[in-house]
Amino acid sequence: MLLSCVRLVSQKFQAPQSLISRKFQALQFLVSSPSRPFMDLKTLVSSLNDFASLSLAENWDNVGLLVEPSPPHTVKTLLLTNDLTEEVMQEALQMKTDLILSYHPPIFRPLKHVTWKTWKERLVIQALENRVGIYSPHTAYDASPQGVNNWLAKGLGGCTSLPIHPSKAPSFPTIGTHRVEFNINDTPSMDKFMSAVKEIPDVSITTFSARNDGEEQIRVSLNCTQKALLRVVAFLSENSHLYQKTEILSLEKPLLLNTGMGRLCTLAESVSLATVIERIKGHLKLPHVRLALGIGKTLESQVKVVALCAGSGSSVLQGVEADLYLTGEMSHHDVLDAAAQGINVILCEHSNTERGFLSELKDTLAAHLENKVNIILSEKDRDPLQVV
């Protein structure tokens, strides 16, 4: 069929035989070669959000799809990098990348203009000109049960771990943010209340039998929003003689299992600080780390509990009781404070505690995305600091 189509074209337009041959070879290649897998950008972003909900990110962070080419945009190649530098961008363009997943957001502070003046502005320009999307998960991956901090904890050896600052669910398990409970003596009072509540939106009610001083009563439990609470309380105040034992509770969002910032790790067996150092260096593939010994501690001191936080851990680790703090960077004074409390501190440089996670992420994401896109790791991405 393809050959006859080419013949018809050659007869009608009388194209040169060499041109026809090249066209035929191109058509033959398209038919014989299996099509490369791909995903629509919006579908892919939705899948990435399912992998680690952006609601887990800290409220100060800038996460999600940061640069979007005009739709529709097809993604065949996804590049993973810890930091999106200009060198990594050139690598991405050479690899015909359609989407860059940069762990750190290259756009953090608002841009007042997009010119060729600064390197971050140039990244945005190059991404849009070459139709390359940019997505950043950052602290959503820090908090995730299958994220950066869990990966970092694997370098300690066998241990159990819990989040230092657990994440809360993005929404309440029931309607509203508050619960109001009270007793009602009789059916007419109950009817009056139910009639009033029908006019208030965002309210859910359950009732059950209760006894008060030997008297059978109805206990009402009402969940409502902050706005609805004002109207409920106003009604109860106006009819306070009908209702007894009123309580107003502020509801809390439930904690998410194994999710949150930092990890408090308890080793299966105590080991020397020197042993932990070697394990960490091996896990992060580093020849050196920085160490601050806690007061009265030596390399042979035993370590049982490790508090860790990938990246910059001062705010997460501060005040946590542990034998060792493990993070990328801490301020000079925070290190002094920890050491004064007898806590050892290991610093590995900021991105060295994060970058190795991308190798694990590559395989995990491939399975999550059902191998619909080609995922590659940046070879140009590296920590800006080195020991000389």
Side-chain angles (χ1 to χ4, degrees):
M1 179 62 71
L2 291 174
L3 183 58
S4 58
C5 287
V6 173
R7 283 175 181 160
L8 286 173
V9 170
S10 78
Q11 290 173 1
K12 186 172 182 179
F13 296 101
Q14 312 217 334
Q17 190 63 35
S18 60
L19 177 60
I20 296 172
S21 177
R22 288 197 299 272
K23 287 185 177 181
F24 177 74
Q25 289 174 1
L27 289 169
Q28 190 176 43
F29 173 79
L30 291 173
V31 172
S32 61
S33 301
S35 59
R36 291 175 60 192
F38 66 89
M39 292 182 72
D40 176 73
L41 176 61
K42 291 185 178 180
T43 303
L44 175 54
V45 167
S46 178
S47 294
L48 291 175
N49 294 346
D50 289 340
F51 177 75
S53 173
L54 297 180
S55 65
L56 299 177
E58 296 290 274
N59 56 16
W60 48 261
D61 208 355
N62 189 33
V63 295
L65 186 62
L66 306 185
V67 175
E68 179 183 9
S70 58
H73 184 61
T74 297
V75 178
K76 295 181 179 179
T77 300
L78 169 63
L79 176 74
L80 304 182
T81 185
N82 200 79
D83 294 293
L84 179 54
T85 61
E86 289 189 280
E87 189 176 11
V88 173
M89 175 59 80
Q90 291 307 309
E91 177 189 26
L93 298 181
Q94 291 172 6
M95 299 296 290
K96 305 297 183 183
T97 300
D98 305 297
L99 178 66
I100 298 171
L101 188 153
S102 176
Y103 168 74
H104 285 137
I107 305 173
F108 190 74
R109 297 181 180 88
L111 297 176
K112 293 185 177 181
H113 36 64
V114 181
T115 68
W116 205 248
K117 186 175 182 180
T118 68
W119 69 277
K120 289 195 173 183
E121 293 174 56
R122 291 194 292 270
L123 288 177
V124 175
I125 294 171
Q126 289 179 302
L128 290 174
E129 286 183 342
N130 292 277
R131 295 189 57 75
V132 177
I134 301 175
Y135 180 95
S136 177
H138 201 202
T139 52
Y141 277 11
D142 289 349
S144 171
Q146 53 191 348
V148 182
N149 283 306
N150 267 31
W151 167 81
L152 185 58
K154 292 178 182 179
L156 300 174
C159 67
T160 57
S161 67
L162 292 171
I164 294 174
H165 297 292
S167 297
K168 293 183 178 181
S171 58
F172 292 91
T174 59
I175 292 178
T177 58
H178 291 78
R179 176 173 296 165
V180 181
E181 294 188 352
F182 53 89
N183 287 3
I184 294 180
N185 288 324
D186 51 60
T187 301
S189 298
M190 182 67 183
D191 292 341
K192 182 177 181 180
F193 173 74
M194 292 300 292
S195 177
V197 167
K198 286 180 181 178
E199 305 299 321
I200 304 176
D202 301 322
V203 169
S204 65
I205 300 174
T206 57
T207 61
F208 51 92
S209 298
R211 296 189 69 83
N212 183 27
D213 296 330
E215 181 182 358
E216 191 73 23
Q217 294 184 334
I218 300 173
R219 185 70 174 171
V220 176
S221 179
L222 176 150
N223 285 1
C224 61
T225 61
Q226 177 76 43
K227 185 176 181 180
L229 176 65
L230 299 176
R231 297 179 62 180
V232 172
V233 170
F235 175 83
L236 294 177
S237 299
E238 293 170 1
N239 301 273
S240 58
H241 62 288
L242 301 177
Y243 310 105
Q244 303 173 11
K245 292 195 170 184
T246 301
E247 294 180 288
I248 300 177
L249 308 172
S250 178
L251 300 179
E252 291 286 338
K253 295 177 181 178
L255 299 180
L256 297 175
L257 187 64
N258 300 322
T259 305
M261 295 300 164
R263 293 294 183 271
L264 187 63
C265 307
T266 303
L267 303 184
E269 295 182 3
S270 297
V271 296
S272 69
L273 175 59
T275 298
V276 175
I277 291 172
E278 291 307 311
R279 288 179 180 179
I280 292 168
K281 287 162 64 176
H283 186 58
L284 302 183
K285 297 180 175 58
L286 296 175
H288 307 284
V289 295
R290 291 191 287 165
L291 170 67
L293 285 172
I295 297 298
K297 300 300 173 66
T298 70
L299 289 176
E300 296 308 313
S301 296
Q302 295 296 292
V303 173
K304 180 69 173 180
V305 179
V306 180
L308 62 83
C309 178
S312 181
S314 290
S315 61
V316 174
L317 301 178
Q318 191 170 31
V320 178
E321 294 184 9
D323 301 312
L324 170 67
Y325 286 173
L326 169 61
T327 186
E329 59 180 336
M330 289 175 64
S331 75
H332 172 76
H333 296 287
D334 287 336
V335 172
L336 288 178
D337 287 342
Q341 299 172 59
I343 301 172
N344 304 299
V345 178
I346 294 178
L347 304 180
C348 309
E349 305 307 344
H350 189 114
S351 68
N352 287 337
T353 57
E354 304 161 336
R355 184 170 289 101
F357 166 70
L358 296 180
S359 295
E360 182 176 288
L361 177 66
K362 179 178 182 292
D363 296 333
T364 308
L365 270 186
H368 179 73
L369 300 176
E370 301 176 340
N371 295 307
K372 293 180 179 178
V373 296
N374 178 35
I375 303 176
I376 56 178
L377 282 176
S378 170
E379 296 181 359
K380 300 296 184 181
D381 178 41
R382 61 178 61 88
D383 194 276
L385 294 172
Q386 56 182 317
V387 177
V388 296

